[in-house]
Amino acid sequence: MFSLSLNQLDEDVKCPTDSRFRPDQRYLEENDIDMAAAEKHRLEEKQRATRKVRLQAKQEWEPRWFEPYDDPDTGTSYHRFSGKYWNAKLADDFSACADIY
């Protein structure tokens, strides 16, 4: 039961890119597999179209909440949390978020 509650919508969640707003996930939770598959396909096509527009405009993708980081101890590169999410949450301003759903 605990794992089911992790995806439960919460009125305090304002970030439009929060995965709890994923419509395909909602359909899966309602056991509507056909609609979940159709919605997942729609989301993937929307992502492809957005990427195509970005490539045509020669815009590079930049993660909203993470930043590239090179670990000096291990020499590995990864993205680490930037903390910008909490600034947006405190300001109640998620206007910079893309419409991904």
Side-chain angles (χ1 to χ4, degrees):
M1 279 311 233
F2 172 72
S3 60
L4 289 176
S5 68
L6 291 176
N7 202 41
Q8 186 173 350
L9 283 175
D10 182 331
E11 65 185 40
D12 292 334
V13 176
K14 307 283 192 216
C15 182
T17 59
D18 190 294
S19 64
R20 288 172 279 192
F21 292 120
R22 281 182 49 182
D24 60 325
Q25 186 65 36
R26 290 279 155 229
Y27 285 120
L28 277 176
E29 290 170 357
E30 295 166 3
N31 203 32
D32 192 339
I33 306 304
D34 292 336
M35 278 302 295
E39 191 60 29
K40 183 174 184 284
H41 178 74
R42 184 192 69 80
L43 291 172
E44 289 170 344
E45 290 301 315
K46 185 174 182 175
Q47 289 171 350
R48 287 183 186 101
T50 300
R51 182 172 188 262
K52 184 177 180 179
V53 168
R54 192 173 49 250
L55 288 174
Q56 288 173 345
K58 295 183 172 58
Q59 295 174 334
E60 284 206 30
W61 171 251
E62 193 172 316
R64 176 110 18 244
W65 312 123
F66 296 88
E67 59 193 8
Y69 178 73
D70 294 322
D71 189 305
D73 296 322
T74 64
T76 58
S77 299
Y78 62 92
H79 281 75
R80 68 178 178 181
F81 184 63
S82 68
K84 293 177 184 176
Y85 171 83
W86 296 114
N87 296 334
K89 185 174 174 81
L90 286 171
D92 196 22
D93 181 13
F94 291 101
S95 60
C97 291
D99 174 18
I100 63 172
Y101 301 127

